[in-house]
C-alpha cells in the first residue's frame, strides 16, 4: 500500500501559496496526493490545484507528484463532466464526493449512481468518502452499507476514512472486508489520547436518527484529532487489513491540528515510516 496526502490537511498553507505548499509536500517525501475543491462550471482553477490543466500537469510532473483522487461537493456537481475531463487529462483515474449530511437514501443512492455514470464516460471511477454520520442506522442497517447495497458496484466505489469509521462505533478492518474491491482509498489520522469526547460518537448522539451538522461539530472538537501514531488507533492493523483487501493507497488526512499544518503532516509521515507494509515511491 502506497502512502499519500489529502491536501485538505494543509489547506491554509495551500490557500496562501499553492505552488510553494506542493513543493514542501513533495520535498517531505509525499509522492501521491488527493485534491479537494468546490468546482464551478467554466473555471478550472476551482477544481483543486488552482491552475489550468496544462500548468497543473507541468507542475505535478516537475514535482514528481501523482494525483490519486480528488474530492468535490456536492454529490453531483453541475460541472462534473468538465471536472472529469480536466482530471482525465492529468491521468487521474478516480474522483469522488467528500461526504454529505443530507442522507435520505431514496434521493442519494440514485445521485451516486448518476455521478458514477458521468465519471465512467471519462474512464474515471466515482467514490464516496465517509464521516461518522453515515453510521446511523435505518431499520438496523448502517446508512453507508445501504449506500453500498443500493448503488451499482460498477459505478460507485468507496474511500474509507478509518478515523471516522472508528468514531462511528465500527471496526475499520471489518469495514474494509465489507467493501472489498469497491474500496479504492483509505484516509488516516489518529484519535487523541486526551480527547474531551469518547471515540464512539454515538455515545453522544442517537444511533437511529440522522446526525445534524450542529451535532457533528459538537462531537468533533479539535482535541479529538491527533497526528498519525500519536493517538490510540491501531493503525498497523488498518494497514495490514488494507493490504489484505488490496487497497492501493492510504492517505494522511488531518482535518484539524493544534500544530502548524506542515509540521503536522511531517509528524504523520515520520510515524508511518515506523510501520510496516507501506510504500512511498
Amino acid at each position: 500500500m502506497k502512502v499519500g496526502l489529502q491536501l485538505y490537511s494543509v489547506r491554509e498553507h495551500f490557500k496562501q501559496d499553492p505552488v510553494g505548499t506542493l513543493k514542501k509536500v513533495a520535498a517531505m517525501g509525499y509522492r501521491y496526493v488527493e485534491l479537494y475543491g468546490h468546482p464551478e462550471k467554466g473555471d478550472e482553477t476551482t477544481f483543486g490545484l488552482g491552475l489550468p490543466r496544462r500548468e497543473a500537469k507541468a507542475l505535478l510532473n516537475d514535482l514528481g507528484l501523482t494525483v490519486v483522487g480528488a474530492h468535490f461537493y456536492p454529490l453531483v456537481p453541475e460541472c462534473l463532466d468538465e471536472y472529469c475531463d480536466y482530471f482525465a487529462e492529468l491521468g487521474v483515474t478516480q474522483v469522488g464526493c467528500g461526504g454529505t449530511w443530507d442522507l435520505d437514501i431514496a434521493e442519494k443512492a440514485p445521485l451516486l449512481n448518476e455521478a458514477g455514470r458521468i465519471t465512467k464516460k471519462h474512464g474515471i471511477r466515482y467514490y464516496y468518502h465517509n464521516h461518522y454520520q453515515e453510521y446511523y442506522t435505518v431499520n438496523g442497517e448502517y446508512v453507508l452499507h445501504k449506500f453500498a447495497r443500493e448503488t451499482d458496484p460498477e459505478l460507485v466505489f468507496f474511500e474509507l476514512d478509518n478515523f471516522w469509521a472508528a468514531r462511528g462505533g465500527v471496526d475499520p478492518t471489518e469495514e474494509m472486508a465489507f467493501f472489498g474491491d469497491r474500496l479504492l482509498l483509505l484516509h488516516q489520522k489518529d484519535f487523541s489520547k486526551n480527547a474531551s469526547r469518547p471515540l464512539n460518537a454515538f455515545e453522544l448522539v442517537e444511533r437511529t436518527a440522522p446526525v445534524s451538522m450542529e451535532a457533528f461539530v459538537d462531537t468533533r472538537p479539535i482535541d479529538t484529532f491527533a497526528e498519525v501514531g500519536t493517538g490510540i488507533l491501531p493503525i498497523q492493523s488498518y494497514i495490514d487489513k488494507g493490504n489484505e483487501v488490496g487497497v492501493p493507497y492510504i492517505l494522511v488526512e488531518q482535518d484539524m491540528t493544534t500544530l502548524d499544518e506542515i509540521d503536522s503532516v511531517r509528524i504523520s509521515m515520520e510515524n508511518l515510516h515506523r510501520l510496516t507494509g507501506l510504500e512511498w515511491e
Side-chain angles (χ1 to χ4, degrees), residues 1-262:
M1 189 186 307
K2 296 178 179 179
V3 177
L5 177 68
Q6 163 54 260
L7 291 176
Y8 185 74
S9 309
V10 291
R11 58 193 175 277
E12 297 305 324
H13 281 265
F14 198 83
K15 287 176 188 175
Q16 297 300 318
D17 181 8
V19 173
T21 302
L22 284 174
K23 288 180 178 179
K24 289 178 181 178
V25 165
M28 234 182 266
Y30 285 106
R31 293 291 175 261
Y32 304 96
V33 294
E34 183 181 36
L35 312 179
Y36 74 97
H38 295 77
E40 298 177 11
K41 196 170 181 65
D43 187 356
E44 293 183 347
T45 66
T46 66
F47 290 180
L49 276 170
L51 297 169
R53 64 188 70 192
R54 290 182 181 177
E55 293 178 38
K57 192 172 185 177
L59 177 64
L60 292 168
N61 288 339
D62 287 346
L63 296 179
L65 293 175
T66 298
V67 177
V68 297
H71 280 187
F72 53 72
Y73 308 87
L75 287 174
V76 189
E78 181 186 6
C79 60
L80 187 52
D81 258 314
E82 182 184 356
Y83 185 88
C84 288
D85 185 63
Y86 174 93
F87 281 108
E89 190 163 327
L90 296 186
V92 180
T93 60
Q94 50 209 22
V95 299
C97 176
T100 180
W101 270 258
D102 180 6
L103 294 167
D104 182 275
I105 299 301
E107 296 179 3
K108 295 302 181 292
L111 285 175
L112 291 168
N113 282 328
E114 178 187 348
R117 281 189 290 271
I118 293 170
T119 65
K120 189 174 184 179
K121 291 189 302 180
H122 298 268
I124 290 175
R125 293 180 293 186
Y126 173 82
Y127 61 85
Y128 182 87
H129 169 277
N130 67 285
H131 293 81
Y132 84 76
Q133 74 270 16
E134 291 91 351
Y135 287 101
Y136 91 84
T137 58
V138 175
N139 298 324
E141 183 179 18
Y142 296 130
V143 166
L144 193 62
H145 289 193
K146 287 178 71 67
F147 276 179
R149 180 169 55 81
E150 299 187 12
T151 55
D152 185 337
E154 297 297 319
L155 297 176
V156 178
F157 298 84
F158 293 87
E159 174 180 60
L160 183 69
D161 189 304
N162 293 325
F163 171 95
W164 288 120
R167 295 229 59 200
V170 301
D171 182 342
T173 63
E174 293 180 4
E175 290 300 283
M176 292 181 214
F178 173 83
F179 287 108
D181 60 8
R182 293 180 75 179
L183 191 57
L184 304 181
L185 300 161
L186 298 176
H187 271 189
Q188 194 61 63
K189 45 199 155 267
D190 217 332
F191 188 79
S192 174
K193 297 174 182 177
N194 302 306
S196 61
R197 303 289 190 276
L199 176 61
N200 183 356
F202 284 104
E203 293 179 22
L204 304 172
V205 299
E206 175 57 50
R207 171 75 76 176
T208 58
V211 179
S212 69
M213 175 62 82
E214 292 75 19
F216 178 75
V217 170
D218 182 65
T219 53
R220 62 99 173 92
I222 193 169
D223 69 11
T224 57
F225 295 91
E227 281 62 42
V228 172
T230 67
I232 67 171
L233 295 180
I235 294 170
Q236 183 66 65
S237 71
Y238 301 163
I239 294 168
D240 293 342
K241 188 64 177 182
N243 280 324
E244 179 185 325
V245 171
V247 186
Y249 299 99
I250 186 168
L251 307 174
V252 172
E253 185 195 42
Q254 197 66 37
D255 301 40
M256 295 186 187
T257 180
T258 57
L259 305 176
D260 177 83
E261 293 171 336
I262 296 296

